[in-house]
PDB file of all heavy atoms in Angstrom:
ATOM      1  N   ASP M 228     112.935 113.874 103.186  1.00  0.00           N
ATOM      2  CA  ASP M 228     112.249 114.845 104.018  1.00  0.00           C
ATOM      3  C   ASP M 228     111.812 114.278 105.375  1.00  0.00           C
ATOM      4  O   ASP M 228     110.986 114.875 106.049  1.00  0.00           O
ATOM      5  CB  ASP M 228     110.968 115.358 103.271  1.00  0.00           C
ATOM      6  CG  ASP M 228     111.252 116.653 102.507  1.00  0.00           C
ATOM      7  OD1 ASP M 228     112.039 117.452 102.990  1.00  0.00           O
ATOM      8  OD2 ASP M 228     110.657 116.812 101.444  1.00  0.00           O
ATOM      9  N   VAL M 229     112.398 113.136 105.728  1.00  0.00           N
ATOM     10  CA  VAL M 229     112.110 112.521 107.038  1.00  0.00           C
ATOM     11  C   VAL M 229     112.328 113.551 108.189  1.00  0.00           C
ATOM     12  O   VAL M 229     113.352 114.265 108.145  1.00  0.00           O
ATOM     13  CB  VAL M 229     112.971 111.274 107.253  1.00  0.00           C
ATOM     14  CG1 VAL M 229     114.395 111.548 107.283  1.00  0.00           C
ATOM     15  CG2 VAL M 229     112.506 110.552 108.558  1.00  0.00           C
ATOM     16  N   GLN M 230     111.435 113.559 109.141  1.00  0.00           N
ATOM     17  CA  GLN M 230     111.578 114.478 110.299  1.00  0.00           C
ATOM     18  C   GLN M 230     112.305 113.770 111.457  1.00  0.00           C
ATOM     19  O   GLN M 230     111.924 112.631 111.795  1.00  0.00           O
ATOM     20  CB  GLN M 230     110.187 114.984 110.747  1.00  0.00           C
ATOM     21  CG  GLN M 230     109.477 115.899 109.814  1.00  0.00           C
ATOM     22  CD  GLN M 230     108.141 116.397 110.430  1.00  0.00           C
ATOM     23  OE1 GLN M 230     107.696 115.935 111.400  1.00  0.00           O
ATOM     24  NE2 GLN M 230     107.582 117.450 109.702  1.00  0.00           N
ATOM     25  N   ALA M 231     113.307 114.394 111.939  1.00  0.00           N
ATOM     26  CA  ALA M 231     114.130 113.799 113.023  1.00  0.00           C
ATOM     27  C   ALA M 231     113.498 114.203 114.364  1.00  0.00           C
ATOM     28  O   ALA M 231     113.720 115.256 114.869  1.00  0.00           O
ATOM     29  CB  ALA M 231     115.532 114.251 112.937  1.00  0.00           C
ATOM     30  N   THR M 232     112.729 113.303 114.954  1.00  0.00           N
ATOM     31  CA  THR M 232     112.019 113.584 116.213  1.00  0.00           C
ATOM     32  C   THR M 232     112.571 112.774 117.338  1.00  0.00           C
ATOM     33  O   THR M 232     112.148 112.861 118.500  1.00  0.00           O
ATOM     34  CB  THR M 232     110.497 113.268 116.074  1.00  0.00           C
ATOM     35  OG1 THR M 232     110.383 111.927 115.648  1.00  0.00           O
ATOM     36  CG2 THR M 232     109.854 114.205 115.115  1.00  0.00           C
ATOM     37  N   ASN M 233     113.646 111.940 117.031  1.00  0.00           N
ATOM     38  CA  ASN M 233     114.350 111.153 118.073  1.00  0.00           C
ATOM     39  C   ASN M 233     115.693 110.803 117.580  1.00  0.00           C
ATOM     40  O   ASN M 233     116.069 111.071 116.472  1.00  0.00           O
ATOM     41  CB  ASN M 233     113.494 109.931 118.493  1.00  0.00           C
ATOM     42  CG  ASN M 233     113.190 109.002 117.336  1.00  0.00           C
ATOM     43  OD1 ASN M 233     114.055 108.754 116.484  1.00  0.00           O
ATOM     44  ND2 ASN M 233     111.965 108.514 117.223  1.00  0.00           N
ATOM     45  N   GLU M 234     116.470 110.157 118.421  1.00  0.00           N
ATOM     46  CA  GLU M 234     117.872 109.918 118.145  1.00  0.00           C
ATOM     47  C   GLU M 234     117.919 108.898 116.952  1.00  0.00           C
ATOM     48  O   GLU M 234     118.856 109.033 116.121  1.00  0.00           O
ATOM     49  CB  GLU M 234     118.513 109.251 119.378  1.00  0.00           C
ATOM     50  CG  GLU M 234     120.063 108.964 119.227  1.00  0.00           C
ATOM     51  CD  GLU M 234     120.690 108.473 120.462  1.00  0.00           C
ATOM     52  OE1 GLU M 234     120.040 108.522 121.526  1.00  0.00           O
ATOM     53  OE2 GLU M 234     121.827 108.056 120.396  1.00  0.00           O
ATOM     54  N   LYS M 235     117.011 107.882 116.902  1.00  0.00           N
ATOM     55  CA  LYS M 235     117.041 106.974 115.851  1.00  0.00           C
ATOM     56  C   LYS M 235     116.923 107.634 114.455  1.00  0.00           C
ATOM     57  O   LYS M 235     117.589 107.366 113.469  1.00  0.00           O
ATOM     58  CB  LYS M 235     115.945 105.924 115.970  1.00  0.00           C
ATOM     59  CG  LYS M 235     115.873 104.898 114.851  1.00  0.00           C
ATOM     60  CD  LYS M 235     114.618 104.067 114.931  1.00  0.00           C
ATOM     61  CE  LYS M 235     113.376 104.829 114.442  1.00  0.00           C
ATOM     62  NZ  LYS M 235     112.227 103.977 114.319  1.00  0.00           N
ATOM     63  N   LEU M 236     115.980 108.653 114.387  1.00  0.00           N
ATOM     64  CA  LEU M 236     115.678 109.322 113.144  1.00  0.00           C
ATOM     65  C   LEU M 236     116.835 110.272 112.768  1.00  0.00           C
ATOM     66  O   LEU M 236     117.110 110.521 111.587  1.00  0.00           O
ATOM     67  CB  LEU M 236     114.335 110.062 113.161  1.00  0.00           C
ATOM     68  CG  LEU M 236     113.164 109.078 113.296  1.00  0.00           C
ATOM     69  CD1 LEU M 236     111.836 109.875 113.406  1.00  0.00           C
ATOM     70  CD2 LEU M 236     113.146 108.146 112.088  1.00  0.00           C
ATOM     71  N   ILE M 237     117.537 110.800 113.741  1.00  0.00           N
ATOM     72  CA  ILE M 237     118.712 111.686 113.434  1.00  0.00           C
ATOM     73  C   ILE M 237     119.778 110.785 112.796  1.00  0.00           C
ATOM     74  O   ILE M 237     120.418 111.192 111.790  1.00  0.00           O
ATOM     75  CB  ILE M 237     119.232 112.379 114.667  1.00  0.00           C
ATOM     76  CG1 ILE M 237     118.219 113.381 115.219  1.00  0.00           C
ATOM     77  CG2 ILE M 237     120.613 112.987 114.455  1.00  0.00           C
ATOM     78  CD1 ILE M 237     118.594 113.991 116.566  1.00  0.00           C
ATOM     79  N   GLU M 238     119.985 109.595 113.348  1.00  0.00           N
ATOM     80  CA  GLU M 238     120.918 108.681 112.733  1.00  0.00           C
ATOM     81  C   GLU M 238     120.442 108.296 111.282  1.00  0.00           C
ATOM     82  O   GLU M 238     121.270 108.076 110.392  1.00  0.00           O
ATOM     83  CB  GLU M 238     121.073 107.458 113.614  1.00  0.00           C
ATOM     84  CG  GLU M 238     121.939 107.654 114.825  1.00  0.00           C
ATOM     85  CD  GLU M 238     123.268 108.186 114.486  1.00  0.00           C
ATOM     86  OE1 GLU M 238     123.996 107.570 113.633  1.00  0.00           O
ATOM     87  OE2 GLU M 238     123.654 109.194 115.047  1.00  0.00           O
ATOM     88  N   ARG M 239     119.110 108.125 111.151  1.00  0.00           N
ATOM     89  CA  ARG M 239     118.633 107.780 109.843  1.00  0.00           C
ATOM     90  C   ARG M 239     118.916 108.904 108.815  1.00  0.00           C
ATOM     91  O   ARG M 239     119.288 108.670 107.679  1.00  0.00           O
ATOM     92  CB  ARG M 239     117.184 107.529 109.818  1.00  0.00           C
ATOM     93  CG  ARG M 239     116.580 107.100 108.512  1.00  0.00           C
ATOM     94  CD  ARG M 239     115.094 106.754 108.565  1.00  0.00           C
ATOM     95  NE  ARG M 239     114.979 105.466 109.386  1.00  0.00           N
ATOM     96  CZ  ARG M 239     113.856 104.968 109.731  1.00  0.00           C
ATOM     97  NH1 ARG M 239     112.724 105.619 109.575  1.00  0.00           N
ATOM     98  NH2 ARG M 239     113.757 103.774 110.398  1.00  0.00           N
ATOM     99  N   GLN M 240     118.759 110.141 109.276  1.00  0.00           N
ATOM    100  CA  GLN M 240     119.057 111.327 108.412  1.00  0.00           C
ATOM    101  C   GLN M 240     120.548 111.323 107.930  1.00  0.00           C
ATOM    102  O   GLN M 240     120.841 111.550 106.779  1.00  0.00           O
ATOM    103  CB  GLN M 240     118.787 112.641 109.148  1.00  0.00           C
ATOM    104  CG  GLN M 240     117.329 113.028 109.251  1.00  0.00           C
ATOM    105  CD  GLN M 240     117.220 114.442 109.822  1.00  0.00           C
ATOM    106  OE1 GLN M 240     117.923 114.828 110.695  1.00  0.00           O
ATOM    107  NE2 GLN M 240     116.234 115.145 109.308  1.00  0.00           N
ATOM    108  N   LYS M 241     121.404 111.010 108.857  1.00  0.00           N
ATOM    109  CA  LYS M 241     122.827 110.959 108.540  1.00  0.00           C
ATOM    110  C   LYS M 241     123.086 109.845 107.513  1.00  0.00           C
ATOM    111  O   LYS M 241     123.908 110.070 106.583  1.00  0.00           O
ATOM    112  CB  LYS M 241     123.709 110.727 109.823  1.00  0.00           C
ATOM    113  CG  LYS M 241     123.690 111.914 110.732  1.00  0.00           C
ATOM    114  CD  LYS M 241     124.432 111.673 112.057  1.00  0.00           C
ATOM    115  CE  LYS M 241     124.247 112.811 113.052  1.00  0.00           C
ATOM    116  NZ  LYS M 241     125.029 112.554 114.346  1.00  0.00           N
ATOM    117  N   LYS M 242     122.488 108.723 107.723  1.00  0.00           N
ATOM    118  CA  LYS M 242     122.681 107.622 106.853  1.00  0.00           C
ATOM    119  C   LYS M 242     122.155 107.939 105.480  1.00  0.00           C
ATOM    120  O   LYS M 242     122.709 107.587 104.452  1.00  0.00           O
ATOM    121  CB  LYS M 242     121.901 106.345 107.372  1.00  0.00           C
ATOM    122  CG  LYS M 242     122.088 105.114 106.578  1.00  0.00           C
ATOM    123  CD  LYS M 242     121.500 103.914 107.335  1.00  0.00           C
ATOM    124  CE  LYS M 242     121.728 102.560 106.650  1.00  0.00           C
ATOM    125  NZ  LYS M 242     120.957 102.472 105.362  1.00  0.00           N
ATOM    126  N   ILE M 243     120.975 108.614 105.408  1.00  0.00           N
ATOM    127  CA  ILE M 243     120.415 109.046 104.067  1.00  0.00           C
ATOM    128  C   ILE M 243     121.390 109.938 103.353  1.00  0.00           C
ATOM    129  O   ILE M 243     121.583 109.867 102.149  1.00  0.00           O
ATOM    130  CB  ILE M 243     119.047 109.702 104.355  1.00  0.00           C
ATOM    131  CG1 ILE M 243     118.048 108.619 104.741  1.00  0.00           C
ATOM    132  CG2 ILE M 243     118.626 110.411 103.120  1.00  0.00           C
ATOM    133  CD1 ILE M 243     116.666 109.205 105.199  1.00  0.00           C
ATOM    134  N   ILE M 244     121.926 110.943 104.102  1.00  0.00           N
ATOM    135  CA  ILE M 244     122.837 111.955 103.520  1.00  0.00           C
ATOM    136  C   ILE M 244     124.027 111.166 102.924  1.00  0.00           C
ATOM    137  O   ILE M 244     124.513 111.444 101.759  1.00  0.00           O
ATOM    138  CB  ILE M 244     123.287 112.977 104.495  1.00  0.00           C
ATOM    139  CG1 ILE M 244     122.054 113.801 104.929  1.00  0.00           C
ATOM    140  CG2 ILE M 244     124.401 113.896 103.912  1.00  0.00           C
ATOM    141  CD1 ILE M 244     122.343 114.714 106.121  1.00  0.00           C
ATOM    142  N   MET M 245     124.590 110.262 103.733  1.00  0.00           N
ATOM    143  CA  MET M 245     125.802 109.473 103.292  1.00  0.00           C
ATOM    144  C   MET M 245     125.446 108.634 102.002  1.00  0.00           C
ATOM    145  O   MET M 245     126.223 108.553 101.054  1.00  0.00           O
ATOM    146  CB  MET M 245     126.304 108.608 104.378  1.00  0.00           C
ATOM    147  CG  MET M 245     126.860 109.419 105.571  1.00  0.00           C
ATOM    148  SD  MET M 245     127.097 108.352 107.017  1.00  0.00           S
ATOM    149  CE  MET M 245     128.240 107.129 106.501  1.00  0.00           C
ATOM    150  N   GLU M 246     124.295 108.044 102.023  1.00  0.00           N
ATOM    151  CA  GLU M 246     123.902 107.199 100.866  1.00  0.00           C
ATOM    152  C   GLU M 246     123.589 107.990  99.678  1.00  0.00           C
ATOM    153  O   GLU M 246     123.867 107.594  98.510  1.00  0.00           O
ATOM    154  CB  GLU M 246     122.728 106.298 101.259  1.00  0.00           C
ATOM    155  CG  GLU M 246     123.112 105.224 102.221  1.00  0.00           C
ATOM    156  CD  GLU M 246     121.952 104.352 102.639  1.00  0.00           C
ATOM    157  OE1 GLU M 246     120.750 104.753 102.387  1.00  0.00           O
ATOM    158  OE2 GLU M 246     122.105 103.309 103.171  1.00  0.00           O
ATOM    159  N   ALA M 247     122.989 109.186  99.862  1.00  0.00           N
ATOM    160  CA  ALA M 247     122.617 110.000  98.675  1.00  0.00           C
ATOM    161  C   ALA M 247     123.796 110.707  98.061  1.00  0.00           C
ATOM    162  O   ALA M 247     123.836 110.936  96.888  1.00  0.00           O
ATOM    163  CB  ALA M 247     121.618 111.100  99.125  1.00  0.00           C
ATOM    164  N   THR M 248     124.852 110.959  98.843  1.00  0.00           N
ATOM    165  CA  THR M 248     125.950 111.786  98.385  1.00  0.00           C
ATOM    166  C   THR M 248     127.268 111.019  98.301  1.00  0.00           C
ATOM    167  O   THR M 248     128.300 111.488  97.728  1.00  0.00           O
ATOM    168  CB  THR M 248     126.190 112.965  99.217  1.00  0.00           C
ATOM    169  OG1 THR M 248     126.607 112.581 100.582  1.00  0.00           O
ATOM    170  CG2 THR M 248     124.870 113.809  99.336  1.00  0.00           C
ATOM    171  N   GLU M 249     127.291 109.795  98.912  1.00  0.00           N
ATOM    172  CA  GLU M 249     128.516 108.963  99.036  1.00  0.00           C
ATOM    173  C   GLU M 249     129.603 109.747  99.857  1.00  0.00           C
ATOM    174  O   GLU M 249     130.784 109.578  99.559  1.00  0.00           O
ATOM    175  CB  GLU M 249     128.999 108.556  97.649  1.00  0.00           C
ATOM    176  CG  GLU M 249     128.026 107.629  96.962  1.00  0.00           C
ATOM    177  CD  GLU M 249     128.536 107.120  95.653  1.00  0.00           C
ATOM    178  OE1 GLU M 249     129.645 107.593  95.184  1.00  0.00           O
ATOM    179  OE2 GLU M 249     127.903 106.223  95.011  1.00  0.00           O
ATOM    180  N   CYS M 250     129.200 110.559 100.773  1.00  0.00           N
ATOM    181  CA  CYS M 250     130.180 111.317 101.598  1.00  0.00           C
ATOM    182  C   CYS M 250     130.418 110.562 102.818  1.00  0.00           C
ATOM    183  O   CYS M 250     129.826 109.547 103.172  1.00  0.00           O
ATOM    184  CB  CYS M 250     129.592 112.703 101.914  1.00  0.00           C
ATOM    185  SG  CYS M 250     128.259 112.697 103.183  1.00  0.00           S
ATOM    186  N   SER M 251     131.407 111.026 103.593  1.00  0.00           N
ATOM    187  CA  SER M 251     131.771 110.450 104.864  1.00  0.00           C
ATOM    188  C   SER M 251     130.755 110.830 105.970  1.00  0.00           C
ATOM    189  O   SER M 251     129.974 111.801 105.801  1.00  0.00           O
ATOM    190  CB  SER M 251     133.189 110.881 105.310  1.00  0.00           C
ATOM    191  OG  SER M 251     133.091 112.343 105.602  1.00  0.00           O
ATOM    192  N   ARG M 252     130.780 110.078 107.088  1.00  0.00           N
ATOM    193  CA  ARG M 252     129.924 110.440 108.220  1.00  0.00           C
ATOM    194  C   ARG M 252     130.267 111.862 108.701  1.00  0.00           C
ATOM    195  O   ARG M 252     129.364 112.562 109.120  1.00  0.00           O
ATOM    196  CB  ARG M 252     130.132 109.371 109.305  1.00  0.00           C
ATOM    197  CG  ARG M 252     129.221 109.699 110.519  1.00  0.00           C
ATOM    198  CD  ARG M 252     129.349 108.621 111.654  1.00  0.00           C
ATOM    199  NE  ARG M 252     128.519 108.960 112.758  1.00  0.00           N
ATOM    200  CZ  ARG M 252     127.264 108.618 112.844  1.00  0.00           C
ATOM    201  NH1 ARG M 252     126.645 107.992 111.858  1.00  0.00           N
ATOM    202  NH2 ARG M 252     126.599 108.965 113.932  1.00  0.00           N
TER     203      ARG M 252
END
Side-chain angles (χ1 to χ4, degrees):
D228 265 325
V229 62
Q230 290 184 350
T232 55
N233 57 44
E234 186 176 348
K235 180 191 76 174
L236 293 178
I237 292 173
E238 285 302 309
R239 180 174 292 170
Q240 283 188 323
K241 293 175 184 178
K242 185 172 182 289
I243 288 170
I244 296 167
M245 292 165 64
E246 290 180 343
T248 67
E249 298 184 352
C250 73
S251 67
R252 181 180 178 84

